[in-house]
Amino acid sequence: MKIFITGGTGFIGSALISELRDCRITVLSRDPARASEQLGSHVQAIGDLDQLASFDGYDAVINLAGEPIINKRWTPRQKALICESRWQITRQLVAKIQASAQPPHTFISGSAVGIYGDQHDTVIDEHFDIPAHVAADDFAHHVCQQWENIAREAESDATRVCLLRTGIVLAKHGGALAKMLPPYRLGLGGPIGDGKQYFPWIHLDDMVRAITFLLHTQDAQGPFNMTAPDPIPNKVFSRTLARTLHRPHFLFTPAFALKLALGESASLLLEGQRAIPMKLTTLGFEFHHRHLSQALTDLLSH
């Protein structure tokens, strides 16, 4: 299979490419030489999408690119960067798919569970009806909804579109968990705010396997919650992580401190979604890491 991937040097993308080592992969990268060296001999890297007139000859396109949404305060400039880093590349990919005489059969494009807004303890599957106030006021929803709308323009009789509504991907050497580990190892970890907000997590291994599953499942299309079947409140996550590391668990991060430090972007940590992967499981995908304690033990014992 011949596949084009954006975001291939990120921690999800590089793990996915390792899993797809029997495929012919082309990645888009700002530094093609470094990307080729990092990702392996089965990967060709290009620096500009304009090097391709279309996606004729490609079986699939996987779009994982985007400016990190949590790393900085959401100033107007940062919000614009978050949006355009997702929307612009997706528009370009869709245009190349539409320009193809024989377009790829599958377009898999990123999104996030943030599209649902803060839903407290309501169980959310892919058919959840997003309330009007979320659609009107929530920045994360706005980013993801427009991202998905653009990606859906690639849908045709020849091309199916799968949208990855991704939760918090757990990996030892990247993402949220890697940032949490230093304070927790010092015994300084604890819940965020009141800890009641749900934490829709997924093990990196299952994230990669689920993307590969969607790639090979012809009936798969539309949005998919890329989350483990057992979302838990933040305070339970925090306690489980401390216990896995054999560290004390008595501190917490007050909501006001996060809001002072991060401004509006603190909402990503103080709000949550009890999202479940109904469509994945209905199609027959089997999670290797269904429960948090087992997932953390797997990640932290290596």
Side-chain angles (χ1 to χ4, degrees), residues 6 28 49 63 84-93:
T6 69
L28 180 66
L49 198 54
N63 178 27
E84 287 307 313
S85 67
R86 289 160 173 77
W87 301 348
Q88 183 176 8
I89 187 63
T90 306
R91 288 190 189 100
Q92 292 173 330
L93 295 172

Side-chain angles (χ1 to χ4, degrees), residues 176-220:
L177 181 60
K179 294 177 181 178
M180 295 177 194
L181 285 177
Y184 274 84
R185 282 180 167 144
L186 292 171
L188 303 176
I192 296 171
D194 63 14
K196 294 179 181 180
Q197 68 275 29
Y198 267 79
F199 193 90
W201 63 276
I202 185 171
H203 190 296
L204 177 61
D205 173 59
D206 280 335
M207 181 70 189
V208 168
R209 290 178 54 255
I211 296 173
T212 304
F213 176 84
L214 295 177
L215 184 64
H216 294 291
T217 303
Q218 294 182 0
D219 293 337

Side-chain angles (χ1 to χ4, degrees), residues 213-234:
F213 176 84
L214 295 177
L215 184 64
H216 294 291
T217 303
Q218 294 182 0
D219 293 337
Q221 59 183 338
F224 289 85
N225 288 343
M226 306 297 278
T227 59
D230 186 28
I232 40 82
N234 173 264

Side-chain angles (χ1 to χ4, degrees), residues 49-225:
L49 198 54
D50 288 337
Q51 291 178 237
L52 302 176
S54 70
F55 284 124
D56 284 329
Y58 284 90
D59 298 294
V61 176
I62 302 175
N63 178 27
L64 303 174
E67 171 76 9
I69 197 168
I70 190 61
N71 284 8
K72 299 177 181 178
R73 292 177 70 93
W74 287 348
T75 63
R77 180 177 180 181
Q78 184 64 17
K79 281 186 172 182
L81 181 59
I82 288 168
C83 293
E84 287 307 313
S85 67
R86 289 160 173 77
W87 301 348
Q88 183 176 8
I89 187 63
T90 306
R91 288 190 189 100
Q92 292 173 330
L93 295 172
V94 168
K96 298 290 183 186
I97 292 171
Q98 293 173 335
S100 303
Q102 295 181 311
H105 58 68
T106 303
F107 179 39
I108 297 176
S109 189
S111 184
V113 293
I115 195 170
Y116 299 117
D118 183 21
Q119 298 305 326
H120 306 288
D121 61 354
T122 301
V123 177
I124 300 169
D125 64 26
E126 293 86 351
H127 302 294
F128 179 76
D129 189 10
I130 299 170
H133 75 273
V134 172
D137 300 327
D138 191 285
F139 175 65
H141 167 84
H142 172 64
V143 173
C144 293
Q145 187 64 71
Q146 180 66 0
W147 199 6
E148 292 189 6
N149 291 344
I150 296 167
R152 284 182 184 274
E153 294 177 11
E155 287 179 334
S156 71
D157 292 340
T159 303
R160 62 189 175 91
V161 175
C162 297
L163 304 165
L164 308 177
R165 291 182 176 174
T166 306
I168 300 162
V169 182
L170 301 182
K172 186 175 182 179
H173 300 296
L177 181 60
K179 294 177 181 178
M180 295 177 194
L181 285 177
Y184 274 84
R185 282 180 167 144
L186 292 171
L188 303 176
I192 296 171
D194 63 14
K196 294 179 181 180
Q197 68 275 29
Y198 267 79
F199 193 90
W201 63 276
I202 185 171
H203 190 296
L204 177 61
D205 173 59
D206 280 335
M207 181 70 189
V208 168
R209 290 178 54 255
I211 296 173
T212 304
F213 176 84
L214 295 177
L215 184 64
H216 294 291
T217 303
Q218 294 182 0
D219 293 337
Q221 59 183 338
F224 289 85
N225 288 343

